[in-house]
Structure formats: C-alpha cells, structure tokens
Amino acid sequence: MTALLPSASRPSDRTPAPPHVELAGVTRTFGTTLALAGVDLAVPAGSLTVIVGPSGCGKSTILRMIAGLDAPDSGTLRIAGDDVTARAAGERDVAMVFQDYALFPHMTVEGNISFGLRLQARHHRRSGPGRDEIRARVGEVCALLGLDNLLHRRPAQLSGGQRQRVALARAIVRRPALLLLDEPLSALDPQLRASARAEIRRLHRELGTTLVLVTHDQHEALSMATHLIVMDQGTVAQSGNPGELYRHPCNELVATFLGTPRMNLHDRDGVRIGWRPADGRSATHRDGVPPGAFLVDGVVESCEFTGDGQHARCAGPDGTFVLVQREGESWLEPGDTARVTVPAARLHRFGPDGRRLP
C-alpha cells in the first residue's frame, strides 16, 4: 500500500528554511566509475531530509562527503554557510550513525554512549565537558531513548533495536548541529523498523537538529521525510516536498520508484500514461466512462490479499497493470475480466524521453 505522508510533508504557507548543507557541482569517481556527476542539492536547516534511490545511485557517497569521510574530486560543500570541502571530519559539527552501528563490543552501553564526550574531555581539558556534565548528558539521552535499564550491558547482550538506539544515543549525546544516518534501519525486522521510524521522527521533532538519512526503501523515505531527494545514477532526479514528488513526479524514474505498488504505465499515441494502482476504479461494460477518464481492460492473473484490501494483477492489450481494491468493494478474482477507469486528474503523462508532460 502507498506510504502515508507525514504531516510535516504536507504543503504549508511557511517560508522554507535556509539550507544547512549545500553541494554545488560535486563530482566523485572511483576508478572508472562515476559516482557523482556534478551534484547540486540543498538540505534545509531543521529538516529531516531523506536521500533515496536505487543501489549505486550515489546516496551513501554524498553522506560520507558531508561527514568528511570522503572528498569530492571537484565542487563545493558548505555546512551552515561555511565552505568545508577541505575541512577534516573532526572539524565539522557532525555526528554519524553507521549502517552496522559500529558499537565497541568490549564497552558497556554507558561506555559506548559517553566515549566521544570522554575523548573530547581528554583532548580539550579546559573547554571539554567534565565528569558531572558527561554523566548528566548520558543520563539525559538514555532517558530520551529508554536505555536507562541497559547501561551496564554490552552490545552482544542487546537486541537489534536496542543496539540501534545506543548508536543513536552515542551520536545525539554530542549535541551536533547535523546528524547523519546511513541506512540505520536495514538490519531490523519489519515490526522493529516501523517503531524505529516513529522513534527517529520523534527525536527529530524534540531535538530540532537537521537530520540527513540515506535509504533505498521508498516507503521509509515517504513516511519519514520532511524534505526528499531522489537520486539517479549520480545525479539528483528530483527534490522537495515528499507529497509533491509523489503527486507530481518529474520523470518516469521518480514516478515508478515512489509508491507501492509501483505506478502503472501504458503506451498510448506516443505518450506514456501513468496511474497509481490505488487511483483506478473497477467498472463494467454497462458503466459509463467519465469525461477525460483513462480506460484500460485486462484479465486478472493473480490477487494478493493485504488485510485491508487486495492487489489484483492483470494483463491486457496495453500490458500488465495492478489495481488496488479496498475492503467493501466487489473484489476481482483470477480469470475475471478487469475494466478499470482512472479519473483525468489522477493521470500522469510522460514523453519519449521519460520527462513529465504538462
């Protein structure tokens, strides 16, 4: 089913926040492979920005560059208005949560969370945090993430969800202006992923920190982002409000990447017509076709029950398509003839080059 868009992603009359992170003309190659091809993008201050795209599109390379773990071959990277292109990772007010969490196995939860602060205190004896401040900040972040009763355990004694919270706590306790998350939920089972998504959204609201998250999961991206960036082969395909990208994709890649089940596409008179499976309505030959509506016929090949509805997969003269049917509708069955109408306002049109047409 299509991911529900968060309230923060709905259009508003507020003035967009200025960019916290800016990439201008950034390129990066690895051997003969072009990972980033002149990328221009902006991360609004205070946003929960999600960078999404298929494997190999360059999203993790961008995150590593923002963190200072990799450097561009050309181009400029700014954080809070400062050019940090050549600045070391330790000189940027940035914290990162890695995909595998990278916890120290020999340390307790408390030791893992306080490690960065203790290093800071050791290297900056006059300006660094004291013991009491470290203890207070660790206690504060553990209360925020529900880790109070796990302080003396080691990573091997924790579940996947608990390890993820410890990794978040270790990053948050430093109070960075910018928090980076690299596929933070990929190791969790589906039920834990749902609760972890909600937890990250809550943390973003409460902390007010600019957060950049990388994922290949479009459902995760749509359900979490306040600002969405879709990558394609080392370039930014489209960026902006998640609802706008979903409703008005700029090209076929964005249209078919966002949304589950994926958008249906049909060739008609040199134009590609697209429609979301949930926007179609089952009809019969006796029913009239609304003015401007798109009509497609087929035969049901299979049906997938989803709990609150079903996905009917059909094949017809215009190719295959999927129709989402809700609870209470007269459901189609394999072998049935499917006739579907789609309102004109719900149609998407793409030219031969894949770009959206007016």
Side-chain angles (χ1 to χ4, degrees), residues 8-44:
S9 72
R10 296 180 187 125
S12 71
D13 296 328
R14 291 178 297 176
T15 302
H20 190 149
V21 180
E22 293 179 277
L23 273 68
V26 169
T27 63
R28 184 69 170 98
T29 56
F30 296 98
T32 59
T33 303
L34 181 63
L36 298 177
V39 168
D40 296 312
L41 65 79
V43 174

Side-chain angles (χ1 to χ4, degrees), residues 253-313:
L253 177 125
V254 177
T256 54
F257 189 81
L258 298 179
T260 304
R262 61 182 287 167
M263 181 181 286
N264 297 305
L265 292 170
H266 307 277
D267 292 316
R268 292 276 180 95
D269 301 322
V271 174
R272 295 271 273 176
I273 304 295
W275 55 281
R276 301 283 181 193
D279 289 336
R281 292 292 177 265
S282 185
T284 68
H285 287 278
R286 295 189 303 272
D287 298 327
V289 179
F294 182 76
L295 177 67
V296 60
D297 291 299
V299 175
V300 179
E301 294 186 327
S302 65
C303 296
E304 297 176 4
F305 179 60
T306 61
D308 59 349
Q310 76 165 2
H311 299 168
R313 300 185 179 275

Side-chain angles (χ1 to χ4, degrees), residues 1-314:
M1 305 297 289
T2 300
L4 291 177
L5 299 178
S7 58
S9 72
R10 296 180 187 125
S12 71
D13 296 328
R14 291 178 297 176
T15 302
H20 190 149
V21 180
E22 293 179 277
L23 273 68
V26 169
T27 63
R28 184 69 170 98
T29 56
F30 296 98
T32 59
T33 303
L34 181 63
L36 298 177
V39 168
D40 296 312
L41 65 79
V43 174
S47 68
L48 198 170
T49 292
V50 178
I51 305 176
V52 68
S55 298
C57 67
K59 54 188 183 294
S60 291
T61 301
I62 288 176
L63 202 71
R64 290 176 59 82
M65 283 187 178
I66 296 173
L69 303 177
D70 200 355
D73 297 329
S74 62
T76 305
L77 194 155
R78 295 181 180 276
I79 297 180
D82 295 330
D83 186 344
V84 299
T85 311
R87 195 174 295 179
E91 298 173 345
R92 308 180 187 194
D93 191 8
V94 173
M96 185 167 177
V97 177
F98 295 91
Q99 184 174 353
D100 61 358
Y101 309 142
L103 301 178
F104 298 113
H106 63 288
M107 290 185 183
T108 62
V109 166
E110 184 176 23
N112 268 282
I113 295 172
S114 64
F115 181 75
L117 294 179
R118 288 187 281 113
L119 272 184
Q120 188 179 345
R122 184 180 304 170
H123 294 300
H124 305 280
R125 295 185 181 276
R126 293 184 177 180
S127 60
R131 289 183 179 179
D132 290 342
E133 183 182 351
I134 291 174
R135 190 179 302 111
R137 284 167 66 171
V138 170
E140 179 184 327
V141 75
C142 285
L144 184 67
L145 289 167
L147 295 169
D148 310 70
N149 60 343
L150 303 174
L151 289 176
H152 303 296
R153 292 190 187 182
R154 286 181 168 76
Q157 299 171 299
L158 303 175
S159 68
Q162 289 168 338
R163 286 195 291 269
Q164 187 241 12
R165 280 187 281 153
V166 173
L168 278 171
R170 184 175 60 184
I172 293 169
V173 77
R174 292 174 48 199
R175 298 175 181 170
L178 181 62
L179 180 60
L180 310 177
L181 306 179
D182 185 12
E183 300 267 11
L185 312 182
S186 60
L188 304 181
D189 62 52
Q191 190 170 1
L192 274 177
R193 289 182 77 149
S195 61
R197 286 197 300 267
E199 196 161 86
I200 289 173
R201 289 196 301 268
R202 177 180 65 84
L203 283 173
H204 175 253
R205 288 194 303 270
E206 294 184 7
L207 298 173
T209 301
T210 302
L211 192 154
V212 182
L213 184 149
V214 159
T215 181
H216 65 276
D217 187 327
Q218 58 85 23
H219 175 85
E220 202 167 276
L222 281 175
S223 64
M224 295 179 69
T226 64
H227 184 77
L228 185 60
I229 299 172
V230 179
M231 297 289 297
D232 176 35
Q233 298 181 5
T235 63
V236 175
Q238 191 174 1
S239 65
N241 179 288
E244 182 67 19
L245 267 63
Y246 180 81
R247 288 186 287 268
H248 302 286
C250 69
N251 58 30
E252 281 188 37
L253 177 125
V254 177
T256 54
F257 189 81
L258 298 179
T260 304
R262 61 182 287 167
M263 181 181 286
N264 297 305
L265 292 170
H266 307 277
D267 292 316
R268 292 276 180 95
D269 301 322
V271 174
R272 295 271 273 176
I273 304 295
W275 55 281
R276 301 283 181 193
D279 289 336
R281 292 292 177 265
S282 185
T284 68
H285 287 278
R286 295 189 303 272
D287 298 327
V289 179
F294 182 76
L295 177 67
V296 60
D297 291 299
V299 175
V300 179
E301 294 186 327
S302 65
C303 296
E304 297 176 4
F305 179 60
T306 61
D308 59 349
Q310 76 165 2
H311 299 168
R313 300 185 179 275
C314 313

